[in-house]
Amino acid sequence: GEDVEQSLFLSVREGDSSVINCTYTDSSSTYLYWYKQEPGAGLQLLTYIFSNMDMKQDQRLTVLLNKKDKHLSLRIADTQTGDSAIYFCAADNQGGKLIFGQGTELSVKP
Amino acid sequence: DTAVSQTPKYLVTQMGNDKSIKCEQNLGHDTMYWYKQDSKKFLKIMFSYNNKELIINETVPNRFSPKSPDKAHLNLHINSLELGDSAVYFCASSQDVSRRNEQFFGPGTRLTVL
């Protein structure tokens, strides 16, 4: 079955760019998603990318997809303390199931 | 105007008890889900219903029984609670089961079994 992996922690300084990486195994995944989870809250969809795209930009967020290597990244420009959260990568598979990575805890230091 | 709501937010109970968690969505979506998030933040799907019909049933003990009285509600009943059931349970919904499966999550229910 699908396996989605992320590094567990990332620490950056306020104003720097953050890059969160994700790898997945199922090449038939059609959509790939990034969700954000703030402490004590549910997951909030940040952005998604269709598998035939290489890049998608949405304000401070840039998603890059390397389909050959099955590698997805989320870049947050000008990272702010309010961006501190856990970021989950997710890939779809057959039957409407989303497979989530372990989550990357982003810590932004002033 | 909460999109996906769950009750209760916190649930503390003794081992062996039976408890329910309720979920409601007002987005007009056809599909609803239950996820379990463990202490390491790992998120795993448990069940999914589409128009009140069960479509995903992962390897979950049969002490867990979802019930969907209508497509806006998906409740989770847990019998004979065990220590290992302690986790945060998230309900989610999506328009349908198409491949573009944008899911909206509730705020979670933190279950603690003592």
Side-chain angles (χ1 to χ4, degrees):
Chain A
E2 171 88 269
D3 192 23
V4 178
E5 296 208 351
Q6 305 174 234
S7 52
L8 294 181
F9 301 99
L10 176 64
S11 181
V12 300
R13 292 233 168 256
E14 195 173 16
D16 288 350
S17 291
S18 308
V19 179
I20 302 171
N21 294 302
C22 171
T23 58
Y24 60 99
T25 56
D26 186 352
S27 56
S28 69
S29 291
T30 308
Y31 287 94
L32 297 130
Y33 304 82
W34 284 103
Y35 281 84
K36 176 183 180 183
Q37 184 180 28
E38 294 182 357
L43 277 72
Q44 172 198 356
L45 179 67
L46 282 179
T47 187
Y48 66 91
I49 188 166
F50 186 50
S51 58
N52 70 354
M53 297 169 66
D54 298 326
M55 184 180 94
K56 181 178 180 182
Q57 187 147 6
D58 185 0
Q59 300 181 338
R60 291 190 297 123
L61 305 179
T62 303
V63 179
L64 294 178
L65 176 61
N66 181 329
K67 199 171 178 187
K68 176 174 162 290
D69 294 340
K70 300 193 199 68
H71 182 268
L72 181 73
S73 68
L74 174 70
R75 179 176 178 269
I76 306 172
D78 186 25
T79 314
Q80 303 297 307
T81 53
D83 294 324
S84 293
I86 300 177
Y87 291 80
F88 289 91
C89 164
D92 67 8
N93 73 357
Q94 304 292 336
K97 201 190 293 189
L98 280 187
I99 308 299
F100 285 85
Q102 311 95 306
T104 299
E105 184 172 346
L106 174 64
S107 172
V108 182
K109 301 192 186 317
Chain B
D1 58 348
T2 307
V4 182
S5 59
Q6 297 178 226
T7 52
K9 190 165 172 61
Y10 300 97
L11 185 52
V12 181
T13 188
Q14 299 284 336
M15 250 186 349
N17 284 349
D18 303 338
K19 290 292 177 189
S20 292
I21 307 172
K22 296 188 175 187
C23 178
E24 176 180 2
Q25 54 95 3
N26 63 5
L27 297 166
H29 288 168
D30 287 345
T31 310
M32 296 184 73
Y33 311 80
W34 277 110
Y35 287 87
K36 179 180 180 180
Q37 186 174 47
D38 64 22
S39 58
K40 292 188 175 133
K41 304 295 184 189
F42 183 63
L43 197 67
K44 192 168 190 313
I45 190 163
M46 301 171 70
F47 301 103
S48 174
Y49 272 70
N50 185 57
N51 270 321
K52 305 194 299 174
E53 298 294 323
L54 181 66
I55 57 169
I56 294 174
N57 184 352
E58 291 294 286
T59 309
V60 177
N62 57 15
R63 298 182 295 103
F64 290 78
S65 51
K67 284 205 170 35
S68 182
D70 55 61
K71 71 176 194 176
H73 295 85
L74 180 62
N75 304 323
L76 183 65
H77 187 76
I78 316 169
N79 288 329
S80 303
L81 278 154
E82 299 178 358
L83 294 177
D85 298 332
S86 295
V88 182
Y89 291 84
F90 287 101
C91 177
S93 73
S94 65
Q95 183 66 53
D96 50 38
V97 289
S98 66
R99 292 307 293 267
R100 200 188 122 203
N101 189 359
E102 182 177 341
Q103 296 185 17
F104 293 80
F105 282 75
T109 296
R110 182 175 292 278
L111 171 65
T112 303
V113 182
L114 303 174

